[in-house]
Coordinates of all heavy atoms in Angstrom, one line a residue:
T129 N 97.8 26.3 67.5 CA 98.0 27.7 67.2 C 96.9 28.4 66.5 O 95.9 27.7 66.1 CB 99.3 27.9 66.5 OG1 99.2 27.5 65.2 CG2 100.5 27.1 67.2
E130 N 97.0 29.7 66.2 CA 96.1 30.3 65.4 C 96.1 29.9 64.0 O 95.1 30.2 63.2 CB 96.3 31.9 65.5 CG 97.7 32.3 65.1 CD 97.9 33.8 65.3 OE1 97.1 34.6 64.8 OE2 98.9 34.1 66.0
Y131 N 97.2 29.2 63.6 CA 97.3 28.7 62.2 C 96.8 27.2 62.2 O 97.1 26.6 61.1 CB 98.7 28.9 61.7 CG 99.1 30.3 61.7 CD1 99.9 30.8 62.8 CD2 98.7 31.2 60.7 CE1 100.2 32.2 62.8 CE2 99.2 32.5 60.7 CZ 99.9 33.1 61.7 OH 100.2 34.3 61.8
G132 N 96.3 26.7 63.2 CA 95.9 25.3 63.3 C 96.7 24.5 64.1 O 97.6 25.0 64.9
E133 N 96.7 23.2 64.1 CA 97.4 22.2 65.0 C 98.8 21.9 64.4 O 98.8 21.6 63.2 CB 96.5 21.0 65.2 CG 97.2 20.1 66.3 CD 96.3 18.9 66.5 OE1 96.4 17.9 65.7 OE2 95.6 18.8 67.5
I134 N 99.7 22.0 65.1 CA 101.1 21.7 64.7 C 101.5 20.4 65.3 O 101.6 20.2 66.5 CB 102.1 22.8 65.1 CG1 101.7 24.2 64.5 CG2 103.5 22.4 64.6 CD1 102.6 25.3 65.0
T135 N 101.9 19.4 64.4 CA 102.2 18.1 64.9 C 103.7 17.8 64.6 O 104.4 16.9 65.2 CB 101.4 17.0 64.2 OG1 101.6 17.0 62.8 CG2 99.9 17.1 64.5
E136 N 104.3 18.5 63.6 CA 105.7 18.5 63.3 C 106.4 19.9 63.3 O 105.6 20.8 62.9 CB 105.9 17.7 62.0 CG 105.5 16.3 62.0 CD 105.8 15.6 60.7 OE1 106.2 16.3 59.7 OE2 105.6 14.3 60.6
A137 N 107.6 19.9 63.6 CA 108.4 21.2 63.5 C 109.8 20.9 63.4 O 110.3 19.8 63.7 CB 108.0 22.0 64.7
V138 N 110.5 21.9 63.1 CA 112.0 21.7 63.1 C 112.5 21.6 64.5 O 112.2 22.5 65.4 CB 112.7 23.0 62.4 CG1 114.2 23.0 62.6 CG2 112.3 23.1 60.9
T139 N 113.3 20.6 64.7 CA 113.8 20.4 66.1 C 115.4 20.5 66.2 O 115.9 20.6 67.2 CB 113.5 18.9 66.6 OG1 113.9 17.9 65.6 CG2 112.0 18.8 66.7
K140 N 116.0 20.5 65.0 CA 117.5 20.6 65.0 C 118.0 21.1 63.7 O 117.5 20.7 62.6 CB 118.1 19.3 65.4 CG 119.7 19.3 65.5 CD 120.4 18.0 65.7 CE 120.0 17.4 67.1 NZ 120.7 16.1 67.3
V141 N 119.0 22.0 63.8 CA 119.7 22.5 62.6 C 121.2 22.2 62.8 O 121.7 22.7 63.9 CB 119.4 23.9 62.3 CG1 120.2 24.4 61.0 CG2 118.0 24.2 62.0
T142 N 121.8 21.5 61.9 CA 123.3 21.2 62.0 C 124.1 21.8 60.8 O 123.7 21.6 59.7 CB 123.5 19.7 62.1 OG1 122.7 19.1 63.1 CG2 124.9 19.3 62.2
W143 N 125.1 22.4 61.2 CA 126.2 23.0 60.2 C 127.4 22.1 60.3 O 127.9 22.0 61.5 CB 126.4 24.4 60.4 CG 125.3 25.3 60.1 CD1 125.0 25.9 58.9 CD2 124.2 25.8 61.0 NE1 123.9 26.7 58.9 CE2 123.4 26.6 60.2 CE3 124.0 25.6 62.3 CZ2 122.3 27.3 60.8 CZ3 122.9 26.1 62.8 CH2 122.0 27.0 62.1
S144 N 127.9 21.6 59.2 CA 129.1 20.8 59.4 C 129.9 21.0 58.0 O 129.5 21.5 57.1 CB 128.8 19.4 59.6 OG 128.0 18.8 58.4
G145 N 131.2 20.4 58.1 CA 132.0 20.5 56.9 C 132.9 21.7 56.7 O 133.9 21.7 56.0
G146 N 132.7 22.7 57.5 CA 133.5 24.0 57.4 C 134.4 24.0 58.7 O 134.5 23.0 59.4
K147 N 135.1 25.1 58.8 CA 136.1 25.2 59.9 C 136.0 26.7 60.5 O 136.0 27.6 59.7 CB 137.5 24.9 59.5 CG 137.8 23.4 59.4 CD 139.3 23.3 59.1 CE 139.5 21.7 59.1 NZ 141.0 21.5 58.8
I148 N 136.0 26.7 61.8 CA 136.2 28.0 62.5 C 137.5 27.9 63.2 O 137.7 27.2 64.1 CB 135.1 28.3 63.6 CG1 133.6 28.2 62.9 CG2 135.3 29.7 64.1 CD1 132.5 28.3 63.9
E149 N 138.5 28.6 62.6 CA 139.8 28.5 63.0 C 140.0 29.2 64.4 O 139.2 30.0 64.8 CB 140.8 29.2 62.0 CG 140.8 28.5 60.6 CD 141.3 27.1 60.6 OE1 142.0 26.8 61.6 OE2 141.2 26.5 59.6
P150 N 141.1 28.9 65.1 CA 141.4 29.6 66.4 C 141.4 31.1 66.2 O 142.0 31.6 65.2 CB 142.8 29.0 66.8 CG 142.8 27.7 66.2 CD 142.1 27.8 64.9
G151 N 140.8 31.8 67.2 CA 140.8 33.2 67.1 C 139.7 33.8 66.2 O 139.7 35.0 65.9
Q152 N 138.9 32.9 65.6 CA 137.8 33.4 64.7 C 136.4 33.0 65.2 O 136.3 32.2 66.2 CB 138.0 32.8 63.3 CG 139.3 33.1 62.7 CD 139.6 32.5 61.3 OE1 138.7 31.7 60.8 NE2 140.6 32.8 60.6
F153 N 135.4 33.6 64.6 CA 134.0 33.2 64.8 C 133.2 33.1 63.6 O 133.6 33.7 62.6 CB 133.3 34.1 65.9 CG 133.0 35.5 65.3 CD1 131.8 35.7 64.7 CD2 133.9 36.5 65.3 CE1 131.4 36.9 64.2 CE2 133.6 37.8 64.8 CZ 132.4 38.0 64.2
Q154 N 132.1 32.5 63.6 CA 131.2 32.3 62.4 C 129.8 32.6 62.9 O 129.4 32.2 64.0 CB 131.3 30.9 61.8 CG 130.5 30.7 60.6 CD 130.8 31.6 59.4 OE1 132.1 31.6 59.0 NE2 129.9 32.5 59.0
E155 N 129.0 33.2 62.1 CA 127.6 33.4 62.3 C 126.8 32.6 61.3 O 126.9 32.5 60.2 CB 127.2 34.9 62.2 CG 127.8 35.8 63.3 CD 127.3 37.1 63.2 OE1 126.9 37.6 62.2 OE2 127.4 37.8 64.3
F156 N 125.8 31.9 61.9 CA 124.9 31.0 61.1 C 123.4 31.7 61.3 O 122.8 31.7 62.3 CB 124.9 29.6 61.7 CG 126.2 29.0 61.6 CD1 127.1 29.0 62.8 CD2 126.7 28.3 60.5 CE1 128.3 28.5 62.8 CE2 128.0 27.7 60.5 CZ 128.8 27.9 61.6
E157 N 122.9 32.1 60.2 CA 121.7 32.9 60.1 C 120.5 32.0 59.9 O 120.5 31.0 59.0 CB 121.7 34.0 59.1 CG 122.7 35.1 59.4 CD 122.7 36.2 58.4 OE1 122.3 36.0 57.3 OE2 123.1 37.4 58.9
V158 N 119.4 32.3 60.7 CA 118.1 31.5 60.6 C 117.0 32.5 60.6 O 116.9 33.5 61.4 CB 118.0 30.6 61.7 CG1 116.6 29.8 61.6 CG2 119.1 29.5 61.7
S159 N 116.0 32.3 59.7 CA 114.7 33.1 59.8 C 113.7 32.2 60.4 O 113.6 31.0 59.9 CB 114.4 33.5 58.4 OG 113.1 34.1 58.4
M160 N 112.9 32.7 61.2 CA 111.9 31.8 62.0 C 110.7 32.6 62.4 O 110.7 33.8 62.7 CB 112.6 31.1 63.1 CG 113.2 32.0 64.2 SD 114.3 31.0 65.3 CE 115.0 32.3 66.3
G161 N 109.6 31.8 62.7 CA 108.4 32.4 63.2 C 107.3 31.4 63.0 O 107.6 30.2 62.5
M162 N 106.1 31.6 63.4 CA 105.6 32.7 64.2 C 106.2 32.5 65.6 O 106.1 31.4 66.2 CB 104.2 32.8 64.2 CG 103.6 32.9 62.8 SD 103.9 34.5 62.1 CE 102.7 35.6 63.0
L163 N 106.7 33.5 66.2 CA 107.3 33.4 67.5 C 106.2 33.3 68.5 O 105.1 34.0 68.4 CB 108.1 34.7 67.9 CG 109.4 34.9 67.0 CD1 110.1 36.1 67.3 CD2 110.3 33.6 67.0
P164 N 106.2 32.5 69.5 CA 105.1 32.2 70.5 C 104.8 33.5 71.3 O 105.7 34.3 71.6 CB 105.6 31.1 71.4 CG 107.1 31.1 71.3 CD 107.4 31.6 69.9
K165 N 103.5 33.5 71.7 CA 103.1 34.6 72.5 C 102.9 34.3 74.0 O 102.7 35.2 74.8 CB 101.7 35.1 72.0 CG 101.7 35.7 70.6 CD 100.3 36.1 70.1 CE 100.3 36.5 68.7 NZ 99.0 36.9 68.2
D166 N 103.1 33.0 74.3 CA 102.9 32.6 75.7 C 104.1 32.3 76.5 O 104.1 31.6 77.5 CB 102.0 31.3 75.7 CG 102.5 30.2 74.9 OD1 103.5 30.5 74.2 OD2 102.1 29.1 75.1
T167 N 105.3 32.9 76.0 CA 106.5 32.7 76.8 C 107.3 33.9 76.5 O 107.2 34.6 75.5 CB 107.3 31.4 76.3 OG1 108.4 31.3 77.1 CG2 107.6 31.5 74.9
D168 N 108.3 34.2 77.4 CA 109.1 35.4 77.3 C 110.5 35.0 76.8 O 111.4 35.9 76.7 CB 109.2 36.2 78.6 CG 109.8 35.3 79.7 OD1 110.1 34.2 79.5 OD2 109.9 35.9 80.9
R169 N 110.8 33.8 76.4 CA 112.1 33.4 75.9 C 112.0 32.1 75.2 O 111.1 31.2 75.5 CB 113.1 33.4 77.1 CG 112.9 32.2 78.1 CD 113.8 32.3 79.2 NE 113.6 31.1 80.1 CZ 114.1 31.1 81.4 NH1 114.8 32.1 81.9 NH2 113.9 30.1 82.1
L170 N 113.0 31.9 74.3 CA 113.3 30.6 73.6 C 114.7 30.2 73.9 O 115.6 31.0 73.8 CB 113.0 30.7 72.2 CG 111.5 30.9 71.7 CD1 111.5 31.1 70.2 CD2 110.6 29.8 72.1
V171 N 114.9 29.0 74.2 CA 116.2 28.5 74.6 C 116.6 27.6 73.4 O 115.9 26.6 73.0 CB 116.3 27.7 76.0 CG1 117.7 27.3 76.3 CG2 115.8 28.8 77.0
F172 N 117.9 27.7 73.0 CA 118.4 26.9 71.9 C 119.7 26.2 72.4 O 120.8 26.6 72.1 CB 118.7 27.7 70.7 CG 117.5 28.4 70.1 CD1 117.1 29.7 70.6 CD2 116.7 27.9 69.1 CE1 116.1 30.3 70.0 CE2 115.6 28.5 68.6 CZ 115.3 29.8 69.1
P173 N 119.6 25.0 73.0 CA 120.8 24.3 73.4 C 121.7 24.0 72.2 O 121.2 23.6 71.1 CB 120.2 23.0 74.0 CG 118.8 23.4 74.4 CD 118.4 24.3 73.5
T174 N 123.0 24.2 72.3 CA 123.9 24.1 71.2 C 125.1 23.2 71.5 O 125.6 23.3 72.6 CB 124.4 25.4 70.7 OG1 123.2 26.3 70.3 CG2 125.3 25.3 69.5
A175 N 125.4 22.4 70.5 CA 126.7 21.5 70.7 C 127.7 21.9 69.8 O 127.4 22.0 68.5 CB 126.3 20.0 70.5
Q176 N 128.9 22.2 70.2 CA 130.0 22.7 69.4 C 131.1 21.7 69.4 O 131.6 21.2 70.4 CB 130.6 24.0 70.0 CG 131.7 24.7 69.2 CD 132.2 25.9 69.8 OE1 131.8 26.3 70.9 NE2 133.1 26.6 69.1
T177 N 131.4 21.0 68.1 CA 132.3 20.1 68.0 C 133.6 20.6 67.4 O 133.6 21.3 66.4 CB 131.8 18.9 67.1 OG1 130.5 18.4 67.7 CG2 132.8 17.8 67.0

Side-chain angles (χ1 to χ4, degrees):
T129 70
E130 57 185 305
Y131 300 97
E133 187 178 76
I134 301 176
T135 59
E136 295 184 353
V138 171
T139 55
K140 182 185 291 185
V141 179
T142 302
W143 291 269
S144 61
K147 283 187 178 182
I148 306 175
E149 303 289 350
Q152 299 179 358
F153 73 92
Q154 180 65 57
E155 290 187 337
F156 302 93
E157 293 183 332
V158 176
S159 175
M160 55 191 182
M162 304 285 287
L163 299 177
K165 299 178 181 179
D166 57 348
T167 183
D168 61 356
R169 69 187 183 193
L170 293 177
V171 182
F172 299 88
T174 301
Q176 181 178 10
T177 301

